[in-house]
Amino acid sequence: MPEPSSRLWRTERVIALRAQLGVFRRGSGDPTSRFGADGSVTRAAQTPAGVGTLHLVCLPRGSEVHAQAWGPGAQWLLDSVPALLGDDDDASGFVPHHDVVAQAWRRFAHWRVPRSGLLFDALAPAVIEQKVTGQEAFSGYRVLVRRYGTPAPGPFPGLMAPPTPAGWAAIPSWAWLQASVDGARSRTLVRAAGYAGRLEEGLSVSVAEAHRRMRALPGIGVWTAAEVAQRALGDPDSPSFGDYHVAKDIGWALTGTPVDDDGMAELLEPYRGHRYRVQSLLGLAGHHRPRRGARMAPRTHLPTRGR
């Protein structure tokens, strides 16, 4: 097996890899990610240079990260490490307006919004997650990646990179249905794959323009565009409007009462420019409303409107 490429990245922040990169993990069985007992994180991805695997380990002081990478995309992934670990995120203008946000900010003062620079790798699972339970979405993504993805380079048996856009587009209709992904979502993803190049250009334009390009495609709404902007673009101001839980959780954390999207918009308005940062900090701090009711059941008849 070829030796990995590697780099040592130093920063003034203390890096907690699980907190920093947990947003990229699509359920505990995600075949594209592994979180090791030693605190390491391993990710497989389709990069502009080809498939690659990135393995990250924090050194004892916490402000040094040892990165190793394999495959044609190895150098691209190594170059992306600072942005992936939040180095491009500017939190200097962030001011907490609620005690609970201030407490979360003190606890996670070294956390920054990550930026993967991989738009389609963020878009595909977001589309699969539209309008279904997390359990159902994670299962469908897992099945499709294992069947149509690419084995990850390096010494990580079973780790898979997701399909390329062309690979997603080539998945037969029956395979989507076997993975419990209905026709509306599969058509959205196949259509988006045909515009992958145009969408990837969103990495070099304004966040507003990237949102516009994504939402110009039928089946991609405000929620899906925000999920991509959070991960691929590292945008600190793209909160998850339209999510089944997020508005309720933020309302509960800030006021003691769950709210809807309009209520969340009002609560987050003083944080404009950092609204997703607030969402993430509250999530990292474990602020979720009590789940007293029955769990949301997997859906069998789903709306076709873009989310």
Side-chain angles (χ1 to χ4, degrees):
M1 178 180 298
E3 289 295 315
S5 301
S6 64
R7 72 175 291 182
L8 183 65
W9 182 64
R10 295 181 175 88
T11 176
E12 296 180 356
R13 292 184 289 123
V14 174
I15 300 295
L17 289 175
R18 286 176 177 267
Q20 189 65 49
L21 301 179
V23 70
F24 294 102
R25 194 182 195 192
R26 307 290 181 161
S28 59
D30 184 353
T32 71
S33 299
R34 287 186 184 168
F35 285 38
D38 60 352
S40 64
V41 174
T42 308
R43 298 186 67 236
Q46 297 287 354
T47 80
V51 66
T53 302
L54 179 66
H55 181 70
L56 300 172
V57 178
C58 275
L59 299 185
R61 285 180 297 225
S63 58
E64 293 183 337
V65 178
H66 183 228
Q68 294 179 295
W70 293 258
Q75 190 58 53
W76 192 96
L77 288 169
L78 291 176
D79 291 342
S80 76
V81 166
L84 185 66
L85 298 181
D87 205 44
D88 291 348
D89 178 32
D90 182 6
S92 59
F94 176 59
V95 178
H97 297 281
H98 298 82
D99 287 343
V100 68
V101 177
Q103 292 167 11
W105 182 229
R106 285 193 295 270
R107 182 178 171 188
F108 296 97
H110 299 292
W111 178 86
R112 296 293 183 270
V113 180
R115 184 182 191 275
S116 73
L118 297 172
L119 193 144
F120 210 87
D121 270 20
L123 178 63
V127 170
I128 291 172
E129 291 172 16
Q130 291 177 350
K131 297 293 185 181
V132 295
T133 65
Q135 180 182 6
E136 183 178 354
F138 295 154
S139 175
Y141 182 68
R142 181 170 63 247
V143 167
L144 292 168
V145 170
R146 284 179 175 167
R147 183 175 294 172
Y148 296 101
T150 304
F156 305 99
L159 190 70
M160 301 290 292
T164 62
W168 284 113
I171 294 175
S173 58
W174 57 264
W176 293 102
L177 295 175
Q178 282 189 343
S180 298
V181 178
D182 62 280
R185 287 177 289 155
S186 62
R187 285 192 297 272
T188 294
L189 191 44
V190 169
R191 185 185 299 114
Y195 291 90
R198 177 71 171 165
L199 292 173
E200 294 287 355
E201 291 175 2
L203 296 163
S204 59
V205 299
S206 69
V207 172
E209 175 62 14
H211 272 269
R212 189 197 67 77
R213 292 185 185 188
M214 286 187 281
R215 295 185 63 186
L217 293 177
I220 297 180
V222 61
W223 181 87
T224 305
E227 292 291 299
V228 176
Q230 294 162 6
R231 294 165 175 80
L233 307 181
D235 180 32
D237 197 44
S238 287
S240 299
F241 289 114
D243 192 273
Y244 184 76
H245 296 292
V246 169
K248 299 180 180 69
D249 288 342
I250 287 178
W252 180 271
L254 299 186
T255 71
T257 303
V259 298
D260 58 13
D261 275 359
D262 289 340
M264 181 173 78
E266 183 176 351
L267 287 171
L268 293 183
E269 183 58 31
Y271 296 101
R272 182 169 289 276
H274 300 276
R275 291 174 297 174
Y276 173 62
R277 189 185 312 282
V278 173
Q279 174 185 326
S280 294
L281 288 171
L282 293 175
L284 288 169
H287 291 290
H288 307 288
R289 76 194 189 285
R291 307 289 203 267
R292 294 193 180 93
R295 288 183 176 271
M296 183 179 174
R299 306 187 183 190
T300 55
H301 300 285
L302 303 171
T304 58
R305 183 173 57 86
R307 182 181 177 201

